[in-house]
Amino acid sequence: KKVVEEEEEEEDVDKEAEGEEELDELARQAPHLASEAPPVDYEIAVPTYLRWRPVKELSRKWCFKDCSSPFILVHTLAFLAEQGIPRERVTLFVANEDEERNYRR
């Protein structure tokens, strides 16, 4: 039994190294995995109203109580980067000239 477990662990390590880790049934149903359709061109539009403000003002999460970085950098844009979304595909929309000035600071 121990030899079988070791072989299974080695296979798991090999799959992870190759990016083929085992997915559960629901994950395998994700559209980008289940579909055989060709990839489509896309752009992500982000409404930015007041997201230039510090995270500590907009989030109630304890871990951000002292964070003075802009919310949009810590949450929105960080999430998109983690998902592998290229920056060229992201467009930020501002409500007015005052908001634009706040983002350019």
Side-chain angles (χ1 to χ4, degrees):
K1 181 177 178 183
K2 185 168 176 98
V3 172
V4 172
E5 288 175 356
E6 288 175 1
E7 287 176 0
E8 288 175 356
E9 287 178 15
E10 287 176 16
E11 287 176 14
D12 290 343
V13 170
D14 290 342
K15 286 180 182 176
E16 288 175 11
E18 296 172 11
E20 299 176 10
E21 65 184 74
E22 189 64 30
L23 298 174
D24 67 34
E25 184 178 339
L26 286 177
R28 286 193 302 272
Q29 295 175 19
H32 68 286
L33 297 176
S35 175
E36 294 181 16
V40 295
D41 198 22
Y42 66 92
E43 187 166 343
I44 296 178
V46 179
T48 61
Y49 190 68
L50 298 180
R51 292 184 185 184
W52 53 266
R53 293 172 46 203
V55 176
K56 64 184 176 186
E57 292 180 15
L58 299 177
S59 177
R60 294 185 179 150
K61 293 181 182 177
W62 179 257
C63 60
F64 295 121
K65 69 180 178 71
D66 296 322
C67 184
S68 59
S69 297
F71 181 89
I72 196 160
L73 294 177
V74 175
H75 280 278
T76 311
L77 299 179
F79 173 77
L80 294 173
E82 288 170 8
Q83 300 305 310
I85 306 297
R87 293 173 94 179
E88 315 73 67
R89 294 192 177 271
V90 178
T91 301
L92 304 179
F93 287 90
V94 295
N96 53 44
E97 290 178 7
D98 289 337
E99 283 287 299
E100 182 178 1
R101 276 192 295 277
N102 284 318
Y103 278 100
R104 294 201 183 276
R105 291 193 286 156

